[in-house]
Amino acid sequence: MRALAKLVSVNNPDKILFVGEALVGNEAVDQLEKFNRALRDFSGQSKPRHIDGIILTKFDTIDDRVGAALSMTYTTGQPIIFVGTGQTYTDLRKMNVSQVIRALLRA
C-alpha cells in the first residue's frame, strides 16, 4: 500500500478509482476503507488524496444483495461510476441507480 500511495503522489492522476468485486459484500466496504486509509497514511502529503469513485465488478451476479454498494458510497461519499457485467472492457456499464433501487425493493 505504501507503493500505491507513492504512485499517486508522484503521478498525480486525474482520478483515483477503487475497483472491487460486488460478490464479496461487506468485505468490499472493508477493502475500500483500507484502500482509502492507505492513501491517507502513506501519502506523505499534508493534504492527502482519497478515492474519486468506485468500479464494481461482477455486478450482474449480485441480484438483490446491493447493500454493500450503498454502504461503499455512503462510507466514502463517492459515486459508483461503472459496474462490470462481464469479462471485457466493453462490459463496463454506467451505474443504473433506478435498477439498484428496484432490486432493493424486491428484497
Side-chain angles (χ1 to χ4, degrees):
M1 286 294 184
R2 287 180 197 268
L4 173 67
K6 183 177 180 181
L7 186 67
V8 168
S9 60
V10 168
N11 292 302
N12 194 24
D14 293 331
K15 297 259 187 235
I16 300 172
L17 299 176
F18 173 80
V19 179
E21 199 175 284
L23 289 176
V24 296
N26 285 329
E27 180 66 27
V29 177
D30 294 336
Q31 291 171 2
L32 175 59
E33 289 173 341
K34 288 177 184 174
F35 183 81
N36 238 355
R37 192 174 319 120
L39 287 174
R40 181 192 67 217
D41 293 347
F42 300 128
S43 72
Q45 299 176 340
S46 60
K47 191 174 180 184
R49 295 203 34 205
H50 297 284
I51 67 157
D52 299 307
I54 302 165
I55 297 175
L56 280 181
T57 63
K58 300 184 181 176
F59 200 76
D60 55 325
T61 59
I62 63 168
D63 298 326
D64 60 346
R65 299 181 302 259
V66 295
L70 293 176
S71 295
M72 292 172 85
T73 58
Y74 178 78
T75 300
T76 62
Q78 299 302 325
I80 297 172
I81 298 174
F82 294 109
V83 292
T85 60
Q87 300 294 318
T88 66
Y89 289 118
T90 58
D91 296 322
L92 286 175
R93 306 278 185 258
K94 285 188 175 184
M95 178 69 161
N96 185 336
V97 176
S98 60
Q99 185 179 27
V100 172
I101 291 170
R102 281 194 302 273
L104 281 172
L105 294 175
R106 279 194 311 254

